Amino acid sequence: MTQEVRGVIAPGRGEPVRVETVLVPAPGPGEAVVRVQACGVCHTDLHYREGAISDDFPFLLGHEAAGLVEEVGEGVTDVAPGDFVILNWRAVCGRCRACLRGRPWYCFDTHNARQRMTLAGGTSRTKSGGGQELSPALGIGAFAEKTLVAAGQCTKVDPSVAPSVAGLLGCGVMAGIGAALNTGSVTRGDSVAVIGCGGVGDAAIAGSRLAGAARIIAVDIDDRKLATASAMGATHTVNSRNQDPVEAIRELTGGFGADVVIEAVGRPETYQQAFYARDLAGTVVLVGVPDPAMRLDLPLLDVFGRGGALKSSWYGDCLPSRDFPMLIDLHLQGRLDLGAFVSETIALDEVEAAFARMRDGDVLRSVVVM
């Protein structure tokens, strides 16, 4: 049966979000309904609200979530009602050329639920006569008491973990940790620099610490963020408003540059800093999301002559079925403090205020708890 739940809607470009009644259909083949227990407030949700991703309004926001599977559709065997899961926005197909080559984290045919959730009432855009169709953020839409997803977007993890921290692996924290562990291949004794110390950058710092990096240099223009980066594991900090970050990173690495530089801002100027702050044959990892209009200008001879690798990291090159359970286990063992990323817990009707605190840099992560 279709269920009525409360959800956070972005009605139009730049308009404040609001809580509305959402209709969640019964799961069809390959789908699951999940009772959401917690969902982080991510910059991506703000980008949806501002129309920076698409104009397919209204959006049902929220995607960094964890909860309990309530019902599954025909053919679903990997999860069952009662399973505690983290939601991911890249359900791999298992059939594309990347999956068949054993690289499913590069899957070219990820999928979401086929059915749409709708607003209660309003003008129908559906054959079934329901209300206005909603576009779920990253195919999830988890600022809601329940949501409909593809069953492959559900990853089972140890149910003893707090939902407020488990859900963080659904996006930002996984992106940062994966940028260090999976894309950058940070290992014991490495020197690492992280440019941009928001949630993703701090997660890259935590991942580098977990990997055994000997020197972790945090770079930002905000001393508050640098203090948080130190708590996450940075051994040195650089305020790039006050000093040249390239020179500072070189000075801290014997004049050579870092083995791995992770750019968590997504701007041409910070990418250039990352490029020149790495050691010869070092690695640059771009995990910050650029604006579509941005362009990069680098001397091709420098790209050739410095060697090494220039990589981009999408979702931390993660494979949820592999990485989520492992990282949850590390958290439960006390080796990865996911709770350090949670600045506050809030209610559904406080998301708009959380966006304001995010813009002001006052929080690392606000988490909606149902």
Side-chain angles (χ1 to χ4, degrees):
M1 293 179 61
T2 297
Q3 302 183 64
E4 291 190 0
V5 301
R6 297 166 67 241
V8 176
I9 307 303
R13 183 185 296 269
E15 295 182 31
V17 302
R18 59 178 184 247
V19 178
E20 298 274 6
T21 300
V22 175
L23 302 181
V24 181
E31 296 175 341
V33 170
V34 175
R35 178 161 63 84
V36 179
Q37 294 179 305
C39 184
V41 181
C42 177
H43 274 89
T44 302
D45 294 303
L46 182 58
H47 293 329
Y48 274 108
R49 173 196 179 277
E50 295 176 343
I53 294 180
S54 81
D55 290 320
D56 197 17
F57 290 97
F59 291 107
L60 175 58
L61 299 183
H63 59 280
E64 201 175 71
L68 294 172
V69 175
E70 184 175 89
E71 187 179 359
V72 299
E74 180 184 348
V76 175
T77 58
D78 289 341
V79 293
D83 285 343
F84 178 68
V85 296
I86 299 173
L87 300 182
N88 73 80
W89 45 270
R90 301 199 72 231
V92 300
C93 71
R95 300 179 301 275
C96 72
R97 59 191 185 280
C99 288
L100 294 177
R101 293 174 69 189
R103 301 173 183 173
W105 49 91
Y106 293 139
C107 179
F108 303 122
D109 193 23
T110 59
H111 55 282
N112 307 128
R114 292 183 178 275
Q115 299 181 87
R116 286 288 191 107
M117 292 173 280
T118 60
L119 284 174
T123 303
S124 174
R125 284 168 46 190
T126 66
K127 295 180 180 179
S128 62
Q132 186 177 18
E133 288 185 348
L134 293 167
S135 300
L138 291 178
I140 292 178
F143 284 155
E145 292 162 330
K146 298 179 184 180
T147 191
L148 176 76
V149 295
Q153 294 179 271
C154 301
T155 304
K156 289 191 291 186
V157 296
D158 190 325
S160 63
V161 66
S164 59
V165 300
L168 299 179
L169 293 179
C171 190
V173 171
M174 185 68 252
I177 291 176
L181 298 183
N182 298 333
T183 316
S185 300
V186 175
T187 191
R188 297 181 301 277
D190 277 352
S191 59
V192 180
V194 178
I195 300 177
C197 297
V200 173
D202 282 345
I205 289 168
S208 299
R209 181 184 188 180
L210 189 65
R215 183 157 298 198
I216 306 171
I217 305 163
V219 180
D220 204 282
I221 60 174
D222 188 331
D223 285 332
R224 296 174 300 171
K225 292 185 176 181
L226 291 173
T228 302
S230 294
M232 292 291 183
T235 60
H236 300 78
T237 61
V238 174
N239 188 319
S240 55
R241 193 187 295 277
N242 303 327
Q243 60 186 132
D244 183 332
V246 176
E247 292 304 317
I249 292 169
R250 286 177 177 171
E251 289 175 9
L252 291 167
T253 54
F256 301 112
D259 296 311
V260 180
V261 183
I262 299 171
E263 201 276 53
V265 180
R267 296 190 59 85
E269 54 269 37
T270 46
Y271 188 89
Q272 287 185 354
Q273 292 168 356
F275 179 83
Y276 288 109
R278 67 183 175 131
D279 197 357
L280 292 174
T283 298
V284 173
V285 176
L286 174 64
V287 66
V289 181
D291 182 285
M294 290 175 177
R295 295 291 183 269
L296 181 66
D297 183 12
L298 284 172
L300 191 58
L301 184 60
D302 285 356
V303 176
F304 173 76
R306 295 181 67 85
L310 307 179
K311 297 183 174 183
S312 59
S313 183
W314 204 43
Y315 205 1
D317 285 342
C318 81
L319 182 60
S321 60
R322 174 195 66 194
D323 294 338
F324 288 3
M326 173 193 69
L327 293 173
I328 290 298
D329 286 347
L330 290 173
H331 169 70
L332 293 173
Q333 293 165 17
R335 298 166 62 190
L336 175 63
D337 186 5
L338 294 175
F341 290 91
V342 180
S343 303
E344 61 177 1
T345 56
I346 62 173
L348 268 178
D349 57 6
E350 296 178 276
V351 169
E352 184 67 30
F355 283 149
R357 290 191 289 275
M358 177 192 297
R359 280 190 294 255
D360 293 339
D362 293 336
V363 294
L364 193 56
R365 255 314 178 265
S366 302
V367 178
V368 175
V369 175
M370 313 298 178

